[in-house]
Each structure stands twice: as C-alpha cells, then as structure tokens.
Amino acid sequence: MRSRGDRLEAALAEHELDRMLVTDLTNVRYLTGFTGTNGAVVCGPGLRVFLTDFRYTERAVAEVSEWETVTVTGDWLAGIAERLEGKVGFEDDHMSVRALTKLEEKLPDGVEAVAAGGAVEALRRVKDAQELAAIAEAAKLADAALKATLEEGFVGRTERAVAAAFEAHVRAGGGTLSFDTIVASGPNGAQPHAEPGDRVIPKGELVTFDNGAKLDGYCSDGTRTYATGDPGEEGVRVYETVLAAHQAAMEAIRPGVKGEDVDKAARDVIDAAGHKDHFGHGLGHGVGLDIHEGPRLSLRSDDVLATNEVVTVEPGIYLAGDLGVRIEDLVVITDDGLRNLSSLPKDLTYVD
Ligand code: ZN
Ligand code: ZN
C-alpha cells in the first residue's frame, strides 16, 4: 500500500488543491505517527512537512519519519502560514472560526483557504495490516476483560462497580478504555447511552454491557446483553429478535454494499417483530483511531463498504421504562464478507 502521505497527496489532486493543512491531532497522528498534543501537517506534491513546537521536538524525532519535522519557535499560525501556497485545504470540521480568521490574516498574498474537512478521515476508513492488528488486539483485550468481569458476577453489585471492574481488567492488560463503559440493567437498558449508576443489579433482569478497549491508539467496541436469571417472556423474545436482526446484517455485509442496505437488513427484522419505533439509532459505525468514524451503517448513509474497513454491527430494541437489548460485534470487511473480531458468544447467556 502507498504511504499515507502519498494517499493524501493523491486526494489533493482530486480536489484540485495545492496544499492540505491538517490540524486535527488524530489526523496528524494517522499521517505521521506523532502522539503529542501540538502538531500540524502541510502536505502537497512532494511536500511532507510536520510542524510542532520545542516541547515536542524530541518526541517527533522518535515518532515521525517520512515527514520533515519543523520546530516552530515564534508565532504558531505564522509558522504554518509561511509554508502554504495556492489553494490550501483546511479542516473546516475541526478548525475553530477564530483560528481560521487568525490564519487567514497571516496567509501570504494569493494564498486561499478552502474548506476540505473529511479528506484525511476518508483515507482512514480503509485500514492497513498494522491498524487491523491493533484493532484486533484491542478487541481481544476488551473481550478478556469482559469475561473476567462476568466471572465476578453482576447480582448484588452496582452498575458502577461492574463498570469499574471492567476498566480495572482493561488497565491490567495494558490498555485504556476507548469510551466510558455502559452497564445498564433492567429499565436503564432502554437508554442506548445510559451511564452506569448506583442501581444494584437484581436477579431476573437483562443487563446491557457496551465496552471497548484502546491499545496503541486504536479502539475496540462491542456489546453483549446478559440475563441475571430468567428475564421473562418478553425479555427473551426481544433478545431473540435483536439476535436475528444482528445475524441478518452480518450476512448482508460485503464490499460494494451500501451502509444503508446493511442497516435495512437488520431493521426489517426488528420492524417485522413489531418494534419499528424501538430501534432509534443507526446500525453501526467505523472504528479506528476514533471510536466513531466512517463508514456509517444507517438509513441516512451513502457510504459504500470496502475491503479492510472496520465497522460495528449493533442493532438494539429499547422499551422505555422496561428493558433494552443490544448486540454489537466489531468486524473487518473482507473480499468475500467479513472477519469477526468479537469472540464472545451471542446466545442469551446467564450471569449470576
Ligand atoms: Zn458499543
Ligand atoms: Zn458502537
């Protein structure tokens, strides 16, 4: 595969830009490997410049290769501006209006800033082997941490304590959380983004456990819904419906398919079971350096799936005041379908 800088240069040509200024730190990291908190990139035909300040010169030496490192000593934006030329793409989805105004004041004559947000994000959708390995490792760590948490049991503990136990296992394995863990029991499960609270988990309920680990900058994301004893007829029925929807979506995934159509494969199953109004979010999203990135699997998505993209498949049914179920796997799209990075079983599992 071509270097990331080369791929960005090719994208610039397509957008008829002379230079691209990258200021979002995640995008800077993606292009250069730099993990510090002040850096920017200027890319153009044959031009690979990484800018930082003196605090990070040493880190840049260790982390950044293939990009010429420039330590800006005076005014940061002036240091950037003097390396820009012609039509310059900037990240309008990340740069503040104030920063843009200040930058424009410093641009040399004849240099024009053009909104080009999303250019690097588009490159980030397809992962290389190293990225796929990092995401797989993060998923493995999260699954092991969840398994260890399950062994300690749910019943009689607060959601918060269970979430804290998961985090401790992730940290013991050398990772951090890729997002705040969701442990949502009983009626709390009806909120897709519930925060774990002081509710003590009783017997006979469903518990949604949405979790992820981060390793080497890369995220994982996965959800299982467990039962602490018999969750009742409705609970079982909702679970089976979500599982069938999940499987329908998994079977629909392959390169060339629209994110919208994969969403629809799951949504049709949920609609047919009478839960049309109870699945209020998209089916899935890309995962990489960010927990939410492209492509999107939703009814509002024009994204077409491609080999080596990494996406979640996470249908859910949420019955307000009652219960919720979500089942989420993290998958790599392959030439003939997908490779599942999630290892935990999906049949309804009982936890004490
Ligand atoms: Zn999730
Ligand atoms: Zn997710």
Side-chain angles (χ1 to χ4, degrees), residues 129-340:
Q130 202 186 335
E131 295 184 285
L132 292 176
I135 296 167
E137 278 305 306
K140 217 165 118 185
L141 173 57
D143 281 358
L146 178 49
K147 251 190 194 163
T149 308
L150 293 177
E151 279 162 19
E152 294 158 5
F154 285 179
V155 176
R157 305 173 76 193
T158 63
E159 295 170 341
R160 202 195 302 276
V162 172
F166 173 79
E167 178 168 3
H169 289 301
V170 168
R171 289 188 178 274
T176 55
L177 297 182
S178 56
F179 60 92
D180 289 340
T181 311
I182 295 173
V183 179
S185 61
N188 291 346
Q191 304 167 49
H193 281 185
E195 275 174 42
D198 291 327
R199 188 170 189 274
V200 176
I201 302 172
K203 274 187 190 302
E205 279 190 353
L206 292 170
V207 181
T208 301
F209 206 119
D210 193 344
N211 64 90
K214 197 176 209 178
L215 265 182
D216 297 328
Y218 282 85
C219 299
S220 81
D221 190 4
T223 307
R224 288 291 180 270
T225 301
Y226 295 101
T228 56
D230 182 4
E233 232 175 88
E234 184 184 50
V236 172
R237 222 180 312 122
V238 166
Y239 191 92
E240 294 304 329
T241 303
V242 173
L243 184 55
H246 175 84
Q247 278 157 350
M250 296 285 272
E251 279 160 27
I253 287 183
R254 61 186 171 278
V257 169
K258 284 161 76 182
E260 181 187 354
D261 292 335
V262 181
D263 179 290
K264 192 170 181 303
R267 202 165 295 276
D268 283 349
V269 174
I270 289 174
D271 290 359
H275 290 294
K276 192 176 175 33
D277 300 327
H278 305 144
F279 175 27
H281 58 74
L283 179 74
H285 53 86
V287 174
L289 287 169
D290 280 327
I291 185 65
H292 293 116
E293 51 181 61
R296 306 275 160 184
L297 278 59
S298 88
L299 290 181
R300 291 184 302 277
S301 172
D302 296 324
D303 294 341
V304 175
L305 302 184
T307 299
N308 290 338
E309 290 178 343
V310 175
V311 296
T312 68
V313 178
E314 49 179 310
I317 292 177
Y318 309 94
L319 306 181
D322 189 3
L323 58 85
V325 173
R326 181 165 63 257
I327 301 172
E328 175 180 26
D329 278 351
L330 185 63
V331 307
V332 183
I333 296 161
T334 60
D335 288 338
D336 51 6
L338 60 82
R339 181 160 59 90
N340 199 341

Side-chain angles (χ1 to χ4, degrees), residues 51-62:
L51 302 106
T52 188
D53 64 63
F54 73 96
R55 294 171 299 165
Y56 289 117
T57 309
E58 262 183 64
R59 185 193 291 242
V61 169

